[in-house]
Structures are given as structure tokens and as C-alpha cells.
Amino acid sequence: DIQMTQSPSILSASVGDRVTIACRASQSIDRWLAWYQQKPGKAPKLLVYRASYLQSGVPSRFSGSGSVTEFTLTISSLQPDDVATYYCQNYYGNSYTFGQGTKLDIK
Amino acid sequence: VQLVESGGGVVQPGRSLRLSCAASGFTFSNYGIHWVRQAPGKGLEWVALISYDGSHEYYADSVKGRFTFSRDNSKNTLYLQMNSLRPEDTAVYYCAKDAELGKSAYYFDYWGQGTLVTVSS
């Protein structure tokens, strides 16, 4: 299986900050990567697919980039509503693994 | 789009349970559907896919041979039959819609609210 490793595991930032979450794949997955946001007690929500395509309805402060094995999710200006855990997921070949998650909160 | 899971509960190890997922708000027969689970306080794990027409099913190694996924396109409903349950199967089980029409892209644009399965004696 392809392993997905996110960093950091926990992130604390101030409102208005630019926030970046990294995700690394154990082997090349081209651009077959999605990002999800999960708020406590809720189902995950798709934010980004194909590494950089923003899902319809997702605020433009979210963006994704990267390819091969290195990917990032960026929030350009952190808002209180962005407090959540973020997961990357690869969907390459026969492997559909998630990263371990990055918990984001407000300082 | 709405996905509503049901059927969770507490079950003893080795016993069986059947989950259901009722879908609405989209052309059900055009999309694959997945189950993704989340153990308490843990991350997400893909469990199974059934293709849009029900002709193919794929399972994670952790559940292969124990879980069976089926769908009834006339009722817009899916079923996950879980046999020989183990304590490590304890999780919230989400059904999730595949994001791409007529294929299995393996990323998920809509999720249900989840149903909790607890395997314990």
C-alpha cells in the first residue's frame, strides 16, 4: 500500500494567517490526490481533488498544489470556521489511503 | 444529494450486522458508492466500493472475505453485510458517493452522517 504522511500533526495559527499543510506519498501518485476537511462530529467534506482542483462551493482561500510525491494544502487567510482536521487521500492505482490527519486550531 | 446510513449498533465479536445507506438527490445508478470507516479518535480508512451498476465490488484487505457490499438500484439503497465481526471493526461507517459519473474514481464528493458500529463482548 502507498503510505501518506502529513505534517504537521497539530497546527495552531492566528486568524488571517497563511497556513500550509504538507502531505507526502511513499511513491509516485502523479496528481491523484484529494484533500478533505472534517469538523468534530461531522462527516468529511471534499475540498480539493486532482491535487489542485477546488471542489465547487469551497472558499477560494483554500488551494492545493503538488505532484508525484509532495503535496500541499494552503489556506491563504485563516478564518475561525476553518478549525477542523484535514486529511489528504491518494487515489492512485489500487491504493486509496488517507494521511493520518492534521488538526488545525486558532491561537 | 443526501446519503443516510442506518443499522449500526453494538454486536458481539464473531456476530454479523447489516448496514444500509439510502441515497437521494442524484441519479443513483450513475455513480459508484463507497464505505469509509473511522475508528474512535482515529483517521479514515477506505473499506469497500460497489460500482455504479453493481457489477464490481472491491474491498480493503482488512475486510475481504467478511464484508459484502450490494446495491438495489430500484430502491436507491445500498447494503453492507458484515460477518465475523472483530473488535478492530469498531468505527463510524460512512457511505460516500464517488465523485465521477459512470466510473470509479475513488475520491468522494458527498458523505452520509455515519453510523457507529461497536464490536464488543
Side-chain angles (χ1 to χ4, degrees), chain A residues 47-92:
Chain A
L47 298 176
V48 171
Y49 62 97
R50 201 73 166 94
S52 62
Y53 289 79
L54 202 65
Q55 175 69 357
S56 176
V58 174
S60 60
R61 64 180 180 273
F62 290 92
S63 63
S65 64
S67 64
V68 187
T69 61
E70 304 287 340
F71 302 88
T72 58
L73 175 72
T74 299
I75 307 173
S76 61
S77 177
L78 185 66
Q79 300 302 304
D81 188 53
D82 300 335
V83 170
T85 299
Y86 293 82
Y87 293 94
C88 62
Q89 181 226 343
N90 100 81
Y91 52 104
Y92 176 78

Side-chain angles (χ1 to χ4, degrees), chain A residues 36 38 43-44 49 89 91 96, chain B residues 38 44 105-108 111-112:
Chain A
Y36 300 89
Q38 186 177 33
Y49 62 97
Q89 181 226 343
Y91 52 104
Y96 318 112
Chain B
Q38 186 169 35
L44 299 162
Y106 285 89
Y107 68 101
F108 324 112
W111 300 59

Side-chain angles (χ1 to χ4, degrees), chain B residues 2-108:
Chain B
Q2 196 167 18
L3 298 162
V4 180
E5 304 93 337
S6 60
V10 180
V11 62
Q12 293 179 327
R15 304 297 292 266
S16 299
L17 202 62
R18 189 177 83 157
L19 305 183
S20 300
C21 173
S24 61
F26 63 102
T27 305
F28 181 71
S29 58
N30 283 352
Y31 290 90
I33 303 292
H34 303 256
W35 288 96
V36 178
R37 68 184 180 183
Q38 186 169 35
K42 302 296 185 182
L44 299 162
E45 179 189 15
W46 174 81
V47 173
L49 156 76
I50 191 163
S51 61
Y52 67 98
D53 59 359
S55 62
H56 296 94
E57 303 148 42
Y58 298 97
Y59 301 92
D61 287 344
S62 56
V63 307
K64 201 173 295 182
R66 301 187 298 122
F67 289 14
T68 304
F69 199 176
S70 60
R71 67 189 293 162
D72 184 339
N73 282 355
S74 68
K75 296 181 178 179
N76 285 15
T77 302
L78 305 111
Y79 306 98
L80 185 68
Q81 179 67 41
M82 304 187 295
N83 298 331
S84 303
L85 282 161
R86 306 166 179 168
E88 56 265 35
D89 295 319
T90 295
V92 174
Y93 284 74
Y94 296 100
C95 61
K97 173 183 164 290
D98 196 280
E100 298 197 8
L101 173 69
K103 57 192 284 190
S104 300
Y106 285 89
Y107 68 101
F108 324 112

